[in-house]
Amino acid sequence: MPDNFLKTGRPFWSRLQQSMTYFTVGAIGLVLSSILFVIVRDIDHEKEQAHFERMAEQQLSVVQTNISLTLDNLVALSAYLDASPTLSRATFSRLAYPLIARNPAIQALEWIPHVHNNQRKRYEASAQADGFSDFRFTERKSQGLMVAMPERTVYDPVYFVEPLHGNEKALGFDLASNPSRLEALEKAARTGNLASTSRVVLVQETGNQYGCLVFQPIYRDSLRHETLLGFALGVFRVQDMVEKTGSPLIHPPQAHSLQIAIFDADAKPGEQLLYPKASGMVNVHDIKADFILTREIPVAGRHWQVTVFQTSSASMFWGGRGILLVGVLITLFAIAYLHQIDLSRQAVAEKIAAEQADLAKSRFIATMSHEIRTPMNGIIGMTSLLLDTPLNDEQKHFTETIRLSADALLTVINDILDYAKLESGKFELEQTPFEMSTMIEGVVDILTPRATEKGLHLSYRIQDDANARFLGDSGRLRQILLNLAGNAIKFTERGHVTIEVAWAATEPLPLRFSVTDTGIGIPEEARNRLFRLFTQVDASTARRYGGSGLGLAICKRLVQQMGGNIDYSSVAGQGSVFHFTIPITRLAWLAGTSAVASDGQTSSLTTLERTTQLRRILIAEDNPVNQLVAVKLLEKLGYRADVAHDGREAVEMVTMCDYALVLMDMAMPNMDGLSATRAIRALPSPKNAVTIIAMTANARDEDRDTCLASGMNDFLSKPIHRQLLADTLQHWIQKSALTTNSS
């Protein structure tokens, strides 16, 4: 028995050992393959999540912008009502109709006067005299029957409504008789801000979507409730507000796997869903998806939860399953493969993080530039126009103070945006020919009013060898000199400021600029911090003279990017000399005067005499305030202006009329400025040759390049300054005249 056992036992143990080896190798392969499967699945999941977050952020930004654009129409209407609360019914119709025509999310715009009981008969009689013989103050009973409103202390009836067709029954309806409307009315009157109702099903709604009513109070003066005149009311459709207003969504809603839902966080349970109506969801917690991103957006006193969500695609698991199936065969290579996967994962994560950071910075710069410059254009433009009207001394002083403050704010904004572009590495220098004397004279012309106001002597000197044509970025050189000379004027109470340019052919950096002043000077202990961000000599200097502390830091970055050096010398109480040197190519020496002072005796010659003959100009602009500013500025300059409210209308008007020039905004509904330009360039001759100049709040270099690439001739960034606008129009109209005469 023992012998037989041994004979038969060895093969058994051998097979067992072999089986254990196979099992161990297989188990190791399976474990490693399983680990790789999990890693690959997680990488795919992270990549898909990062992609989702990028797309979701874009969707959320579009939705937020569209909501703001819709509410802006009500704000614009309320501004008219606030300025003239005694508008007639016909005037209200003319104001409201263009807003409704351009925004499909608006179902109606209404005027709701705040009527005291002793005024009721007068309002009812006035409406009846306007042709509404059955007009009376009414309320709705539970059965939906409209009956005469019983006597109350005050009423809030619908008095004007546009469009009138289909809304006749709403005339006279006292909104305060409805609890949800009353709540919003009282909130608007109490806060002085926009106030919205919770969701409602609009009477004329045929598209199966929810709506809301937004109230804007109108007061006689700042005492608010005691002088409440009434409310501007907007009746809005939520789905159209999301999908059709302003910019289109990156992906159509509810298409593919990326979806959008909106909830009213302040609504009662069961009534929070705003969009989409037929989704079956009750609140944001009902969303079941792999990826969810929610942004809370304040909308007229309520908090809307805008949520973008997506379910992971089944295809993202195939890579991991393939590895799991062949894992046993590649066990020997598993460790190397794992290491490679880890490196790839790290590289992908770093790349995604860099892309997200770069996208966020670029989006911030673009958004801030556009959103700040648009209202700044209105402020600066309207104050300039106001200064051209008859004003008493006090009014003129107040208006000039507003204009100076707006210019100062714009300078700070430009400094911040310039420094952000320098930090992001997206700042590129131009290489174009320019004349030194022309560039320096431009700096002196800009700064002369400031110097004259302080009684300073502003002058410049150009060494003969430096009075030449150069190849470089004259715009950035002008920016540096404006900053240095502007600082010199700001910190100098008496004496002079001098700009000098010299050429030293034997030096490695041959072109030298210096700005000398007789100002307060700079103590030696401030040297180490002078060119740092947000830094001035001391706190008292910042309080007395103002400024962001970015100017010298930007100058230093610009000079360094040009390959040069910047420094200064100073004696406290006696003055300073800021100087910088740069490498540059001199193209041709020019003979001529090399020194001019800002004493009012300078003069200039041009090849064509400046004229502002009456020419017809088309303004393509959707913002009502900017339309008014542009029209008034052109009228002051002697031009006749027509207005197109979007790109499609601009193309049609160019087709029908002969314009000397078109001022084209970039961001407009229906058709943007770039598409409109391409459409005009596709028209038959000579319509396609009309001069087109961008006039936009998108002020980045990339925006300029995009506009010129689309076929535009020139670029003006908002806020628009009158002299720059006048010079640009004169240049292109004269150029067009020369071209016509030569042909």
Side-chain angles (χ1 to χ4, degrees):
M1 178 68 71
D3 289 341
N4 291 336
F5 176 79
L6 290 175
K7 289 180 182 179
T8 58
R10 286 175 183 158
F12 171 78
W13 287 111
S14 178
R15 289 195 300 273
L16 181 60
Q17 185 178 13
Q18 188 177 35
S19 298
M20 289 298 296
T21 301
Y22 292 158
F23 176 82
T24 301
V25 172
I28 292 174
L30 181 61
V31 170
L32 292 176
S33 299
S34 299
I35 293 173
L36 292 176
F37 165 74
V38 172
I39 292 173
V40 173
R41 182 197 62 189
D42 290 344
I43 291 175
D44 289 340
H45 187 273
E46 290 178 4
K47 290 169 64 178
E48 188 169 356
Q49 183 172 11
H51 176 74
F52 162 79
E53 290 176 355
R54 290 198 301 272
M55 300 306 297
E57 285 289 350
Q58 294 176 4
Q59 295 282 50
L60 289 171
S61 296
V62 170
V63 171
Q64 187 168 8
T65 299
N66 288 351
I67 292 173
S68 298
L69 288 174
T70 301
L71 295 180
D72 284 349
N73 289 279
L74 180 59
V75 174
L77 179 64
S78 66
Y80 288 117
L81 293 172
D82 187 55
S84 180
T86 58
L87 291 176
S88 67
R89 197 175 300 273
T91 302
F92 179 87
S93 178
R94 286 196 301 272
L95 292 174
Y97 178 78
L99 302 177
I100 298 172
R102 291 198 302 271
N103 194 317
I106 303 176
Q107 177 160 306
L109 293 173
E110 302 175 6
W111 164 238
I112 314 298
H114 191 66
V115 181
H116 292 273
N117 189 45
N118 59 358
Q119 300 172 311
R120 175 175 179 174
K121 290 183 178 179
R122 178 166 57 86
Y123 271 83
E124 290 180 337
S126 177
Q128 292 168 6
D130 286 344
F132 303 95
S133 58
D134 296 329
F135 181 91
R136 57 179 178 169
F137 290 5
T138 59
E139 67 176 353
R140 181 182 288 109
K141 291 300 184 180
S142 58
Q143 298 82 5
L145 181 65
M146 302 294 286
V147 299
M149 189 71 193
E151 186 170 321
R152 291 173 51 180
T153 304
V154 292
Y155 312 85
D156 297 287
V158 177
Y159 202 66
F160 296 160
V161 60
E162 182 67 29
L164 179 61
H165 179 68
N167 291 305
E168 296 88 344
K169 293 183 178 179
L171 287 173
F173 176 54
D174 188 348
L175 297 179
S177 65
N178 179 276
S180 63
R181 273 75 164 174
L182 177 60
E183 180 182 358
L185 279 168
E186 292 178 340
K187 183 175 182 180
R190 183 176 64 255
T191 63
N193 299 319
L194 292 171
S196 173
T197 65
S198 57
R199 76 182 190 192
V200 296
V201 177
L202 303 176
V203 175
Q204 288 184 279
E205 181 53 45
T206 60
N208 196 29
Q209 57 176 305
Y210 289 117
C212 63
L213 280 66
V214 180
F215 297 88
Q216 171 68 45
I218 307 296
Y219 303 99
R220 180 179 297 108
D221 55 37
S222 59
L223 294 179
R224 289 195 175 180
H225 190 72
E226 291 79 3
T227 59
L228 179 65
L229 296 177
F231 304 85
L233 169 62
V235 183
F236 303 120
R237 293 185 287 265
V238 177
Q239 180 174 323
D240 290 343
M241 187 186 299
V242 173
E243 298 178 15
K244 298 181 180 180
T245 301
S247 301
L249 294 178
I250 307 303
H251 292 297
Q254 318 309 125
H256 306 295
S257 57
L258 196 65
Q259 302 181 69
I260 299 176
I262 302 178
F263 304 89
D264 183 354
D266 299 321
K268 298 177 181 178
E271 298 180 4
Q272 295 180 342
L273 177 67
L274 294 172
Y275 169 85
K277 182 178 180 182
S279 65
M281 293 180 286
V282 176
N283 54 49
V284 70
H285 303 295
D286 290 339
I287 299 177
K288 308 299 180 185
D290 298 287
F291 306 118
I292 300 176
L293 187 61
T294 298
R295 178 186 297 175
E296 188 169 274
I297 300 175
V299 179
R302 304 185 74 84
H303 299 84
W304 286 14
Q305 297 171 318
V306 182
T307 302
V308 180
F309 55 99
Q310 183 183 39
T311 302
S312 297
S313 60
S315 60
M316 81 175 206
F317 295 100
W318 283 111
R321 289 178 177 175
I323 292 174
L324 185 62
L325 293 175
V326 301
V328 176
L329 301 178
I330 60 171
T331 300
L332 296 177
F333 303 98
I335 296 177
Y337 186 75
L338 178 61
H339 180 64
Q340 186 63 37
I341 289 293
D342 186 64
L343 292 179
S344 299
R345 180 179 181 180
Q346 183 178 354
V348 169
E350 291 175 354
K351 182 179 180 181
I352 291 174
E355 289 177 350
Q356 289 176 331
D358 187 61
L359 178 63
K361 183 178 290 186
S362 298
R363 185 166 58 238
F364 173 78
I365 292 174
T367 301
M368 290 302 295
S369 176
H370 183 276
E371 295 303 322
I372 295 176
R373 288 174 184 273
T374 294
M376 286 297 295
N377 183 59
I379 294 171
I380 293 176
M382 293 301 288
T383 52
S384 296
L385 294 172
L386 186 58
L387 285 169
D388 290 336
T389 62
L391 301 173
N392 61 39
D393 291 342
E394 183 180 36
Q395 291 169 335
K396 185 175 181 180
H397 173 69
F398 290 165
T399 307
E400 288 175 342
T401 301
I402 294 172
R403 176 57 190 268
L404 290 174
S405 299
D407 287 339
L409 177 59
L410 184 60
T411 299
V412 174
I413 293 167
N414 288 334
D415 284 348
I416 293 173
L417 295 175
D418 276 349
Y419 198 84
K421 287 190 283 187
L422 283 167
E423 285 288 288
S424 66
K426 292 189 174 183
F427 200 95
E428 296 182 0
L429 296 173
E430 296 182 353
Q431 295 295 318
T432 57
F434 69 94
E435 293 184 9
M436 182 61 66
S437 59
T438 302
M439 190 268 289
I440 297 297
E441 287 171 2
V443 173
V444 172
D445 287 344
I446 292 173
L447 295 177
T448 292
R450 291 167 57 185
T452 303
E453 183 179 352
K454 298 186 70 174
L456 302 177
H457 184 71
L458 174 63
S459 62
Y460 73 87
R461 287 192 291 273
I462 304 176
Q463 186 187 80
D464 288 342
D465 287 345
N467 187 24
R469 295 182 76 244
F470 294 90
L471 182 66
D473 195 329
S474 61
R476 295 308 170 187
L477 284 174
R478 184 184 297 108
Q479 180 179 355
I480 297 171
L481 291 172
L482 283 171
N483 205 307
L484 296 180
N487 279 349
I489 293 172
K490 179 165 64 173
F491 295 111
T492 301
E493 297 300 329
R494 62 180 62 87
H496 66 85
V497 174
T498 304
I499 303 172
E500 297 182 76
V501 188
W503 177 261
T506 59
E507 299 295 328
L509 303 177
L511 191 58
R512 175 185 174 90
F513 298 84
S514 63
V515 177
T516 305
D517 66 65
T518 56
I520 62 175
I522 303 170
E524 184 62 27
E525 58 268 20
R527 174 173 291 274
N528 292 332
R529 64 176 185 272
L530 190 61
F531 289 98
R532 294 179 182 176
L533 287 175
F534 310 109
T535 301
Q536 291 189 341
V537 173
D538 58 35
S540 63
T541 301
R543 287 193 300 270
R544 181 177 180 185
Y545 297 101
S548 64
L550 281 173
L552 289 179
I554 292 175
C555 288
K556 183 175 182 180
R557 290 293 183 94
L558 288 173
V559 171
Q560 289 176 339
Q561 191 153 336
M562 293 178 181
N565 300 314
I566 186 170
D567 206 346
Y568 78 97
S569 60
S570 180
V571 177
Q574 299 182 24
S576 306
V577 179
F578 279 83
H579 54 84
F580 64 95
T581 54
I582 59 170
I584 196 169
T585 301
R586 188 173 63 181
L587 299 178
W589 179 80
L590 301 173
T593 304
S594 60
V596 179
S598 65
D599 54 4
Q601 303 302 316
T602 59
S603 63
S604 62
L605 296 177
T606 57
T607 57
L608 291 174
E609 181 181 359
R610 289 188 159 213
T611 61
T612 54
Q613 57 187 346
L614 188 60
R615 298 292 185 103
R616 194 172 183 182
I617 292 177
L618 176 62
I619 302 168
E621 170 67 63
D622 66 314
N623 184 284
V625 174
N626 288 337
Q627 289 174 359
L628 178 60
V629 169
V631 169
K632 292 298 182 183
L633 282 177
L634 291 174
E635 288 179 356
K636 294 290 184 181
L637 295 174
Y639 297 98
R640 174 186 173 186
D642 294 339
V643 176
H645 297 86
D646 56 45
R648 182 173 295 124
E649 187 176 350
V651 176
E652 294 174 355
M653 294 178 71
V654 168
T655 304
M656 294 185 294
C657 305
D658 292 328
Y659 291 103
L661 189 141
V662 179
L663 296 175
M664 184 75 72
D665 190 18
M666 282 183 68
M668 293 184 290
N670 297 324
M671 179 184 287
D672 59 38
L674 301 177
S675 300
T677 299
R678 297 187 189 100
I680 291 173
R681 294 303 183 220
L683 294 174
S685 180
K687 295 292 186 180
N688 61 352
V690 64
T691 300
I692 303 176
I693 299 176
M695 189 171 68
T696 174
N698 298 63
R700 300 178 301 165
D701 293 338
E702 301 96 300
D703 299 318
R704 170 187 289 271
D705 295 340
T706 301
C707 289
L708 298 180
S710 71
M712 297 187 190
N713 300 93
D714 208 339
F715 182 93
L716 291 173
S717 63
K718 297 174 183 175
I720 301 298
H721 291 274
R722 179 188 298 183
Q723 190 57 51
L724 179 59
L725 176 62
D727 292 343
T728 303
L729 295 178
Q730 186 77 13
H731 167 76
W732 285 104
I733 289 178
Q734 288 180 346
K735 184 174 181 180
S736 177
L738 287 174
T739 302
T740 302
N741 293 335
S742 63
S743 61

